[in-house]
Amino acid sequence: MSYYLRRITFYVVTMWAAVSLNFLLPRLLPGDPAKIMIGKLRRANGGRPISQEMIDAITSILGSDEGSMWDQYVAYWGRLLQGDLGVSSTRYPAPVADLIAQALPWTIVLVGVATVISFILGIVVGAWVGWRRGTWLDHLVPITTVFQSIPYFWLALVLVAVFSVNLGLFPIIGGYDFFAFPAGPEWSWAFVGSAVTHAILPATTIVLSSVGGWLLGMRNMMVSTLSEDYVVTAEAKGLTPRRIRTKYAARNAAIPSLAGFGIALGFVVAGSIVMEQVFSYPGIGKLMIQSVQGLDYALMQGVFLVITVTVLAANLFMDVIYGFIDPRARHNG
């Protein structure tokens, strides 16, 4: 119980520090971010004045010269607890929460599924390569490592050039066909098929770029685990090779990879910025770039906050799972 209490306390303190940093960053920038955003909103609104409620919301999120820092900090926490992340200046008058809610499912489905696929492939193939170490299967390690060492954007551009431009098998950019987008609240099979087709090349880019790390790590852990005493004892007892490979070697060799998988799952929400930019995919990564390019402070803060909360939640979840899987973590953690 003390292990879980320590972990929860650690993540609560880290969450408070992240939110506080998110509050302070715009206020440490030169000038007044609130006045800059209000001016941009007025220009986007054709020079017409904006409501006082909107001005109050912006100054509460980004700060102003009026009021003490503590009052702004308390007001900031109050709005966060109500789910108010402010209003985007680049897409006025759209709320930041709505923009993130629109982009988040695309990133979670694409990057999440691709991350799970690459992890499963890396663990399964890596366990088999480690079990058959010294054979031709070891050649899979440098092959997958080459893909991992290739820059993300270059691999994405090669896939686009080959499969989209030359062969015409997949779309070049976007997350769906505009004409297949449903007019009503219900999705159509045409839209789902279009979204899947548009996601194949981005997902392939993520899998090819990340599977090598999982495979190499699992292969090395498998080789190390096979020399442990409990594996040697299992072999001396005459257990079948399949049972030794799955129940004794692979199961224990995969434990260290779970920690890395938890971190990878946490960063799923951050998206793959380069990949989403190359394919113009409507996810969180593209939204983040647009917020930086447009100096949209409220949107930048909102995206940063969502990413931080998700990473911390994923790591807390994996710490809990890790404590159940490996009892040693509860005593040493």
Side-chain angles (χ1 to χ4, degrees), residues 151-168:
Y152 231 78
F153 69 91
W154 192 83
L155 179 60
L157 291 175
V158 169
L159 293 177
V160 169
V162 174
F163 295 100
S164 297
V165 177
N166 293 336
L167 299 178

Side-chain angles (χ1 to χ4, degrees), residues 261-314:
F261 182 59
I263 297 174
L265 281 182
F267 280 102
V268 161
V269 174
S272 178
I273 297 178
V274 176
M275 181 275 299
E276 291 186 5
Q277 187 70 4
V278 170
F279 290 98
S280 190
Y281 199 79
I284 288 292
K286 184 181 178 182
L287 192 65
M288 186 187 304
I289 291 180
Q290 291 175 345
S291 67
V292 174
Q293 291 175 340
L295 296 179
D296 193 337
Y297 296 110
L299 188 55
M300 280 190 283
Q301 280 187 293
V303 172
F304 172 77
L305 184 64
V306 170
I307 293 173
T308 302
V309 171
T310 308
V311 170
L312 293 177

Side-chain angles (χ1 to χ4, degrees), residues 26-87:
R27 292 158 176 81
L28 297 178
L29 295 174
D32 190 342
K35 292 181 178 178
I36 295 174
M37 184 173 178
I38 292 172
K40 293 178 65 175
L41 289 177
R42 285 172 176 164
R43 289 192 297 271
N45 203 26
R48 295 186 297 273
I50 59 178
S51 64
Q52 185 62 38
E53 291 79 6
M54 186 67 65
I55 295 176
D56 294 339
I58 294 172
T59 54
S60 178
I61 293 293
L62 296 180
S64 65
D65 296 332
E66 302 178 358
S68 66
M69 186 70 72
W70 174 253
D71 293 337
Q72 297 177 30
Y73 183 67
V74 173
Y76 176 76
W77 267 104
R79 290 187 176 273
L80 284 185
L81 294 177
Q82 296 176 11
D84 185 2
L85 300 179
V87 178

Side-chain angles (χ1 to χ4, degrees), residues 132-146:
R132 300 291 301 276
R133 61 195 182 281
T135 64
W136 64 271
L137 290 173
D138 272 336
H139 295 296
L140 292 176
V141 175
I143 293 174
T144 56
T145 305
V146 167

